[in-house]
Amino acid sequence: MTWLITGGAGYIGAHVVRAMAAAGERVVVLDDLSTGIRDRIPADVPLIRGSAADRGLLDRTLARHAVTGVVHLAAKKQVGESVEKPLHYYRENVSGLTVLLEAAVAAGVRSFLFSSSAAVYGVPDVDLITEETPCAPINPYGETKLAGEWLVRATGRAHSLSTGCLRYFNVAGAAEPELSDTGVFNVIPMFFDRLTRGEAPRIFGDDYPTPDGTCVRDYIHVADLADAHLAVARRLAEQGGPGDLTVNIGRGEGVSVHELADLVGEVTGHRIKPETEPRRPGDAARAVASAARMSEELGWTARLGVRDMVESAWEGWCLRHPEAVTS
């Protein structure tokens, strides 16, 4: 197998590239570097700079590298931005996926792994979210991920591809400091950013029906997520024919925002009491995955805990923000 990994220079993508390459898989990266970083890609892994929606580039790349499988991670992924720019998100995440699938089918690709999201579920009122929990996304980002799943599965059925959709929950941590997330869009780097500036972390809402009143979430270490991509990609390659595997990627354990803030303070040494602000629209009280299907189907379970995520994320943050160590 040779795998084309779109978005492979991104935060999650770079971890997937390294995990698959380290396991002996042949990989090629396609990334426009709009948010990805070239230095994240190992020197011996080919990098093609360009868009996953560029049909000519896709045709040349798939043929030149004899690609037999695709791992598609390239996408726009900011929820708030998707509300402001729905047309942009549908064009990038759905129309772009259509072009990629057309090229994959024309090139005879047999396996297609789609990076989806727990955002497809919306805000279900359940203790554990299973793959059978009804999907009801509440923002354009989640809608594009659900539409992407539909498109991937339909293409698989029509053209005898083996397909997989990974619905992952809250991703955090870093396998190496240089691979850490550079954005400040998720809760852990948002806490780091406030603490580095000597400001109190913000918690949005403390009156939810949870043990401490704050939202409860399922966090997955990005290194575990990368290993899950490898496991599913290999299953698809072994399958060698039509069929779909849709799985949650999480730990099956909930951590409240207040508990996370306490852990961040302990790890960083910046023990500043969080400030509570009003709830944000659309935040579910609890969103925790059932990870049973991945365990039963592939024998895969997450190995790393939330402390590992916070500690490794902090190392990466300090690498890029040395002032955080002395502030």
Side-chain angles (χ1 to χ4, degrees):
M1 293 287 294
T2 296
W3 293 91
L4 175 67
I5 303 179
T6 70
Y11 165 53
I12 294 173
H15 282 87
V16 174
V17 168
R18 293 204 181 192
M20 294 186 70
E25 301 290 339
R26 292 193 299 272
V27 298
V28 178
V29 171
L30 175 64
D31 199 302
D32 65 8
L33 300 184
S34 58
T35 57
I37 300 173
R38 173 64 182 89
D39 290 344
R40 286 173 169 160
I41 306 300
D44 58 347
V45 172
L47 169 64
I48 291 84
R49 183 169 183 175
S51 169
D54 183 335
R55 179 61 189 272
L57 178 62
L58 288 171
D59 289 342
R60 294 190 297 273
T61 300
L62 294 170
R64 181 178 303 129
H65 294 277
V67 171
T68 49
V70 173
V71 179
H72 182 46
L73 295 112
K76 298 300 180 184
K77 63 176 185 177
Q78 301 305 325
V79 169
E81 183 182 53
S82 79
V83 175
E84 298 171 359
K85 302 177 179 180
L87 292 172
H88 180 57
Y89 268 66
Y90 272 86
R91 181 174 61 250
E92 293 290 323
N93 292 0
V94 181
S95 298
L97 173 59
T98 302
V99 175
L100 176 59
L101 284 166
E102 289 172 342
V105 168
V109 167
R110 306 315 317 153
S111 302
F112 196 99
L113 176 53
F114 178 61
S115 181
S116 188
S117 168
V120 300
Y121 294 115
V123 288
D125 185 17
V126 294
D127 286 337
L128 287 178
I129 299 172
T130 74
E131 290 83 357
E132 283 70 42
T133 299
C135 292
I138 62 169
N139 51 64
Y141 167 68
E143 292 168 1
T144 64
K145 284 299 183 181
L146 183 56
E149 289 190 12
W150 293 339
L151 183 54
V152 166
R153 293 192 201 101
T155 303
R157 290 191 298 269
H159 299 281
S160 298
L161 272 70
S162 179
T163 61
C165 298
L166 271 59
R167 296 171 173 172
Y168 41 85
F169 283 64
N170 298 270
V171 185
E176 301 291 342
E178 64 270 19
L179 297 182
S180 62
D181 191 358
T182 58
V184 188
F185 303 108
N186 299 318
V187 63
I188 292 176
M190 287 173 67
F191 280 171
F192 290 167
D193 182 55
R194 299 277 296 185
L195 292 172
T196 298
R197 291 187 278 119
E199 300 174 359
R202 292 185 294 182
I203 292 177
F204 296 96
D206 62 356
D207 58 349
Y208 287 92
T210 60
D212 64 20
T214 64
C215 294
V216 173
R217 295 290 182 267
D218 193 337
Y219 296 90
I220 181 76
H221 197 294
V222 66
D224 280 333
L225 176 60
D227 287 340
H229 279 78
L230 172 63
V232 174
R234 285 183 162 173
R235 168 59 64 86
L236 299 184
E238 292 168 2
Q239 188 170 307
D244 177 75
L245 178 63
T246 296
V247 288
N248 290 336
I249 307 297
R251 295 172 59 250
E253 299 177 12
V255 177
S256 76
V257 177
H258 193 281
E259 290 172 329
L260 186 64
D262 285 346
L263 180 56
V264 167
E266 180 182 332
V267 168
T268 64
H270 296 269
R271 298 178 183 274
I272 303 176
K273 184 178 179 180
E275 295 176 350
T276 301
E277 299 196 4
R279 294 186 184 190
R280 296 180 301 187
D283 275 350
R286 177 181 172 87
V288 178
S290 167
R293 180 175 290 181
M294 269 296 284
S295 177
E296 294 165 359
E297 292 277 346
L298 299 176
W300 180 93
T301 56
R303 299 176 294 107
L304 300 167
V306 179
R307 178 175 288 274
D308 298 305
M309 300 178 213
V310 174
E311 290 178 345
S312 61
W314 180 240
E315 289 182 26
W317 180 268
C318 290
L319 177 67
R320 302 178 191 282
H321 304 85
E323 70 277 13
V325 180
T326 57
S327 62

